């Protein structure tokens, strides 16, 4: 075995060992990179320089602003206002509460960009409400956790920003946000259709009608809440300001709306929100720095090129290659979290998909959906765990209830993979 192959084995083997020993992913990435460079006798200063360079990006400022805006909105009663709006739109249909859940998750994901925040905020209201209306507890959890992953695809998802950075910063964040809109709507419609089938099969009733006198207030509250997403997306799409600037303006709007207009929480809670945001951002930045070092070692060893040659050696059929990539990402999404997989797999798989003619923007949405589905699957499945905790059921019960929606999401994944026009229609229309 030559030194390059041995170094690649050390890199992969040590990283897997760190993961099995339950080291934080960022430490595993940094540690395996250091061990590999020690074997190759490359100066370790390279690691430090690469990690600093990996965080030296203006676009990275977008992430803390999006996270802070989402935290502010999550702390208030934003979820309840969006649920009321969804109830007004689809609550009158058979099994309406489940559909309200789907639509509310899409609305809230459009603001928070986080599946965890989605299931925590919407689930804490919707799961008890569905249970009181006669819905099975496990079903309520299943539809909530499945709907929550819309937040990783629907803009403004900070995971799409991570993908752009992992791809070297050459992929337009605006194009990625545009590409996520139609797939997000398709996911929502598919989940609602599945919910309707279950409602008919199990005899779930329509939701309670909304009083006519409450409609103006619900519409106004919903409009005010969704204005956060309008500010972010509208500003970016029109070119009035960059993604980073839109995030800053959205934070200011969310702050004024939550603390001064609706006065959902006292101003002193801002300290807690900032601490939580700083903790999240620090973890994300350390992960980005460690991933930059890991990616540098991968490139130094020419691993992406070897994997591209290996996959193209299996077949030159794009349909089969994309199927293999989807299966690989679904399997990896079960034991690993989303952010590290974006940062690790993007530099490895992006050369493969571009070599078969796939647009990097299209691949970004496929990657998000794959890894979003991974948030539903044990043993890690963070969204599934949070939903089970809120619903007070076991993981096995939550998994069983989630599976019909899981299959539907996999069908949506295949449709989006093999019909690129669905994903690329809006980006091409705006360009």
């Amino acid at each position: 075995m030559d030194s390059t192959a041995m170094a690649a084995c050390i890199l992969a083997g040590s990283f897997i060992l760190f993961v099995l020993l339950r080291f934080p992913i960022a430490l595993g990435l940094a540690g395996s990179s250091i061990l590999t460079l020690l074997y190759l006798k490359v100066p370790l200063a390279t690691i430090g320089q690469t990690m600093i360079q990996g965080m030296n990006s203006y676009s990275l400022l977008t992430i803390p602003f999006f996270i802070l805006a989402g935290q502010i909105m999550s702390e208030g009663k934003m979820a309840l206002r969006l649920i009321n709006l969804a109830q007004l739109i689809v609550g009158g249909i058979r099994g309406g509460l489940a559909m309200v859940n789907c639509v509310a998750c899409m609305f809230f994901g459009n603001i928070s960009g986080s599946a965890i925040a989605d299931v925590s905020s919407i689930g804490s209201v919707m799961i008890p409400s569905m249970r009181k209306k006669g819905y099975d507890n496990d079903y309520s959890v299943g539809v909530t956790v499945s709907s929550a992953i819309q937040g990783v695809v629907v803009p403004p998802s900070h995971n799409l920003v991570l993908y752009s950075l992992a791809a070297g910063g050459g992929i337009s964040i605006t194009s990625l946000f545009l590409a996520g809109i139609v797939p997000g709507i398709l996911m929502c419609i598919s989940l609602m259709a599945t919910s309707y089938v279950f409602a008919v099969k199990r005899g779930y009733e329509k939701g309670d009608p909304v009083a006519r006198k409450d409609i103006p207030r619900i519409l106004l509250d919903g409009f005010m809440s969704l204005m956060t997403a309008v500010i972010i997306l509208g500003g970016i799409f029109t070119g009035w300001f960059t993604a980073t600037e839109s995030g800053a303006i959205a934070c200011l709007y969310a702050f004024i709306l939550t603390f001064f207009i609706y006065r959902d929480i006292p101003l002193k809670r801002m300290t807690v929100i900032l601490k939580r945001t700083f903790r999240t951002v620090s973890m994300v930045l350390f992960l980005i720095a460690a991933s930059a070092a890991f990616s540098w070692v991968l490139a130094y060893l020419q691993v992406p090129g070897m994997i591209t040659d290996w996959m193209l050696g299996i077949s030159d059929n794009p349909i089969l290659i994309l199927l293999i990539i989807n299966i690989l990402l679904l399997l990896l999404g079960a034991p690993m979290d989303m952010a590290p997989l974006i940062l690790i797999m993007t530099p490895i798989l992006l050369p493969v998909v571009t070599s078969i003619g796939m647009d990097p923007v299209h691949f970004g949405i496929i990657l998000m959906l794959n890894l979003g589905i991974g948030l539903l699957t044990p043993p890690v499945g963070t969204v599934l765990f949070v939903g089970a905790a809120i619903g007070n059921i076991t993981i096995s019960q939550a998994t069983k209830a989630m599976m019909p929606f899981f299959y539907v999401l996999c069908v949506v994944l295949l449709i989006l993979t093999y019909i690129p026009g669905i994903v690329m229609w809006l980006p091409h229309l705006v360009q």
Side-chain angles (χ1 to χ4, degrees), residues 270-291:
M270 192 63 194
T271 304
V272 177
I273 292 171
L274 287 173
K275 286 181 179 177
R276 193 182 302 150
T277 301
F278 291 153
R279 190 181 304 117
T280 303
V281 170
S282 63
M283 290 189 296
V284 170
L285 290 179
F286 182 36
L287 180 59
I288 290 172
S291 299

Side-chain angles (χ1 to χ4, degrees), residues 357-413:
M358 190 179 204
D359 192 292
V361 173
H362 180 199
F363 177 66
I365 300 302
I366 299 306
L367 179 67
M368 293 307 111
L369 183 50
N370 266 297
L371 302 185
I373 293 173
L375 296 174
L376 301 176
T377 51
V380 175
T382 47
V383 168
L384 185 69
F385 275 74
V386 172
I390 293 173
N392 195 27
I393 62 175
T394 65
I395 294 298
S396 60
Q397 288 174 313
T399 303
K400 184 178 179 181
M402 173 273 299
M403 288 310 294
F405 299 97
F406 173 86
Y407 296 137
V408 169
L409 289 170
C410 287
V411 171
V412 173
L413 172 63

Side-chain angles (χ1 to χ4, degrees), residues 147-328:
S147 301
I149 70 163
Q150 295 173 95
V152 306
V153 175
V154 176
S157 169
H158 60 264
N159 292 298
L160 288 170
V161 180
L162 274 183
Y163 167 72
S164 176
L165 293 169
I171 301 175
S172 166
I173 294 174
T174 302
S175 295
L176 288 168
F177 282 179
L178 283 168
I181 294 175
V182 176
I185 294 172
L186 179 60
M187 290 169 63
C188 186
I189 292 173
S190 302
L191 292 170
M192 288 172 63
T194 309
S195 301
Y196 181 78
V197 171
F198 271 93
V200 173
K201 184 178 179 180
R202 299 188 181 185
Y204 296 141
E205 299 297 327
K206 296 179 180 180
D208 295 330
V210 177
R212 184 171 297 180
K213 64 182 178 62
D214 293 332
I215 292 177
R217 177 185 56 80
I218 291 172
L219 289 174
L220 178 61
D221 288 346
F223 173 77
M224 294 285 285
S225 302
L226 290 174
M227 272 301 295
T228 309
V230 173
I231 289 171
I232 295 174
L233 301 179
I236 294 173
F237 296 161
T238 58
W240 288 349
F241 34 74
T242 65
T244 303
E245 292 164 348
S246 72
I249 295 170
C251 283
L252 180 61
Y253 176 80
F255 178 77
I256 294 171
L257 187 68
T258 302
F259 288 98
F260 296 104
I261 296 180
Y262 286 115
R263 299 182 181 180
D264 291 332
I265 47 179
L267 192 57
K268 63 183 179 180
R269 288 291 297 175
M270 192 63 194
T271 304
V272 177
I273 292 171
L274 287 173
K275 286 181 179 177
R276 193 182 302 150
T277 301
F278 291 153
R279 190 181 304 117
T280 303
V281 170
S282 63
M283 290 189 296
V284 170
L285 290 179
F286 182 36
L287 180 59
I288 290 172
S291 299
F294 191 83
S295 298
W296 185 91
V297 177
L298 285 174
Y300 183 83
L301 297 174
Q302 299 180 341
V303 171
M306 289 189 288
I307 291 178
T308 301
D309 293 339
W310 173 72
M311 293 196 74
L312 293 178
I314 295 175
S315 173
D316 58 358
N317 187 338
I319 295 175
L320 181 58
I321 291 175
L322 291 175
L323 181 62
I324 292 171
I325 289 174
N326 279 331
I327 294 172
L328 173 65

